Amino acid sequence: MSRLKSGDFDVLIVGAGVTGSVMAGLLVARKLSAAGRVAIVADRFAKAPLEDADWDVRVFAMSRASERLLRACGVWNSLPPARVFAYERMCVWDAGGTPLGPGSLTFDCAQIGEPNLGYIVEGRALQWQCLQSARAAGVVLIEGAVQSTLCGDEDIALRLTDGRELRSKLLVAADGTESKTRESLGIDTAGHAYHQDALVAHVETTRPHANTAWQRFLSTGPVAFLPLNDGRSSIVWSVDRAQAALLSAMDPDAFGAALTAASGEALGQCTLTTPLATFPLRLQYAVDYARPRAVLLGDAAHVVHPLAGQGLNLGLLDCAALAQVLGEGGSPENFGDYRQLRRYERWRRSENLIAAAALDGLERLFSRTDPLSAGLRGAGLSAVGRMPFLKRRLAQRALGLAGDVPDFLKAI
């Protein structure tokens, strides 16, 4: 690839995952920048998924706000229908209770006036279509690894390990949990490890999932079943690392039996249909989201426990908020204005910390095994179930329709 001239871009985005690709496409779709003036820099870019491949084990529960955002940047309608599944209900219950019985809480889309509670979307298809949409909008794709950054009065320079230097008015770090760009900007992180792994796979069950997302809270961590369109469920089972190692070493039949027991047989007998994947769990947040001419997005800024499936949804709300702030700031010449970027930081850090604290509190509450805590959990879930207004507010929050939502997502 030939050396690019300095000053070629309004925005450089590091990271070609979902958040980075959506941010790039959104800048062009909302006419904040022109085709050819936004670039994505990544170590490597995803390849097209095989049409006849099984569902990727990594799936995402997408909120209504995320759906609207993906529509706004031209991604949603390009997703393969076979890799998207709308779910209509959600049931959560404590290990001491029963699904749909005492100690449980159920949300139904019909009760809150929504067509569904969200969508389960295959990760591989989502990432590919987000990247393709950005490419079609005229976003430039640059393969390379970040070495350092240098902020000047008029622009910010991104030096790659192969010696190339790129310049732009704004640098966006969307390169994930272990962000090299965040590190090069000198931004520290805080938080803690959960000393847990999430076990992820797809399973068949002897009882139908009934278009419902099921989640049982155990003292060792939650186990969730997300419905897929072929009748299977995608599981996310959070356990401590020692137990994760034991479960991962089991043969498929033994693992299926362990999963069946952990779920309280809510969906009957469970049978593995894919290999297991594991992901370490942590709570992590960047101390700052902004530097002069630079901001953080998505996992580079915050990582939360997956028990409510909100990680990617929070990252996409970051994209929408940043687009709104940049739009209000005027032309691309103002994209690096630190006062403007601080507005984005205050907005999204506040919202993300609320979500992180809530999820961390739930994880701690449901991991307690004493009888008093167990009784309070069951009583609390049952009480919320008897308060329609509170249930509706919780559902709206999960759908991304409550809180400080970017204006253009409300209007779609």
Side-chain angles (χ1 to χ4, degrees):
M1 184 179 293
S2 61
R3 183 179 294 273
L4 296 169
K5 295 179 180 179
S6 64
D8 272 355
F9 302 106
D10 296 329
V11 184
L12 283 170
I13 298 171
V14 182
V18 174
T19 53
S21 298
V22 166
M23 189 70 243
L26 194 60
L27 288 167
V28 180
R30 294 194 57 79
K31 304 186 185 309
L32 302 176
S33 190
R37 300 290 299 171
V38 178
I40 297 175
V41 180
D43 294 353
R44 58 185 179 277
F45 291 92
K47 296 181 179 179
L50 299 175
E51 291 184 7
D52 59 350
D54 192 8
W55 273 66
D56 184 16
V57 294
R58 193 75 183 264
V59 303
F60 297 104
M62 309 294 292
S63 70
R64 182 73 71 248
S66 293
E67 174 197 352
R68 291 177 177 178
L69 178 57
L70 294 179
R71 288 187 187 278
C73 58
V75 173
W76 190 259
N77 290 338
S78 67
L79 290 170
R83 306 295 176 168
V84 179
F85 185 71
Y87 63 100
E88 300 169 352
R89 287 167 293 279
M90 177 182 295
C91 178
V92 298
W93 73 102
D94 184 57
T98 58
L100 307 178
S104 72
L105 178 60
T106 301
F107 297 91
D108 191 307
C109 64
Q111 296 173 346
I112 60 171
E114 291 287 335
N116 53 62
L117 292 183
Y119 298 85
I120 307 302
V121 182
E122 187 203 45
R124 187 167 47 205
L126 178 62
Q127 182 173 352
W128 173 250
Q129 292 302 333
C130 289
L131 185 62
Q132 286 300 95
S133 178
R135 193 198 312 260
V139 173
V140 179
L141 306 185
I142 301 171
E143 192 167 298
V146 175
Q147 182 179 71
S148 62
T149 60
L150 179 63
C151 181
D153 292 337
E154 300 296 327
D155 56 21
I156 187 166
L158 182 68
R159 181 172 289 276
L160 306 184
T161 54
D162 61 9
R164 284 178 292 167
E165 188 173 279
L166 312 172
R167 292 180 179 273
S168 67
K169 297 299 180 183
L170 175 65
L171 175 65
V172 177
D175 48 344
T177 307
E178 305 294 341
S179 172
K180 297 294 184 185
T181 314
R182 182 187 63 222
E183 181 180 335
S184 73
L185 292 168
I187 298 177
D188 293 328
T189 62
H192 62 262
Y194 285 108
H195 304 294
Q196 289 181 323
D197 285 340
L199 301 175
V200 179
H202 302 327
V203 299
E204 289 180 346
T205 57
T206 55
R207 295 175 187 163
H209 55 55
N211 293 4
T212 301
W214 306 85
Q215 184 163 249
R216 187 187 192 201
F217 286 99
L218 303 166
S219 61
T220 52
V223 56
F225 289 73
L226 306 177
L228 303 182
N229 59 359
D230 59 9
R232 291 182 299 171
S233 293
S234 178
I235 65 155
V236 183
W237 187 3
S238 302
V239 294
D240 67 66
R241 297 226 164 109
Q243 186 181 1
L246 292 173
L247 290 167
S248 298
M250 290 180 176
D251 64 62
D253 289 343
F255 180 86
L259 178 62
T260 300
S263 66
E265 300 187 27
L267 295 179
Q269 300 298 309
C270 302
T271 303
L272 266 179
T273 64
T274 65
L276 276 173
T278 62
F279 301 93
L281 302 182
R282 70 174 79 173
L283 169 67
Q284 177 176 290
Y285 52 92
V287 175
D288 301 306
Y289 280 22
R291 285 283 189 268
R293 300 198 173 278
V295 291
L296 308 184
L297 280 182
D299 286 353
H302 47 82
V303 181
V304 298
H305 197 285
L307 64 84
Q310 287 299 304
L312 180 59
N313 293 310
L314 293 174
L316 292 178
L317 284 171
D318 291 348
C319 295
L322 181 58
Q324 179 171 316
V325 169
L326 294 179
E328 292 170 351
S331 73
E333 289 297 317
N334 300 323
F335 280 0
D337 185 339
Y338 187 49
R339 292 170 300 177
Q340 181 171 264
L341 301 180
R342 284 277 290 153
R343 283 184 55 221
Y344 159 78
E345 177 183 60
R346 289 191 296 270
W347 180 0
R348 289 308 302 159
R349 185 168 62 180
S350 172
E351 289 289 302
N352 291 329
L353 285 176
I354 289 171
L359 295 173
D360 188 57
L362 281 173
E363 193 279 332
R364 292 174 183 272
L365 173 64
F366 281 91
S367 66
R368 296 178 65 91
T369 57
D370 60 280
L372 178 59
S373 296
L376 289 173
R377 288 195 301 264
L381 289 171
S382 297
V384 172
R386 294 191 296 268
M387 291 185 272
F389 174 77
L390 181 55
K391 279 182 65 175
R392 182 179 178 83
R393 292 298 296 172
L394 290 173
Q396 287 177 327
R397 188 84 192 191
L399 284 165
L401 303 179
D404 197 353
V405 180
D407 292 341
F408 76 94
L409 293 185
K410 299 175 186 175
I412 292 176

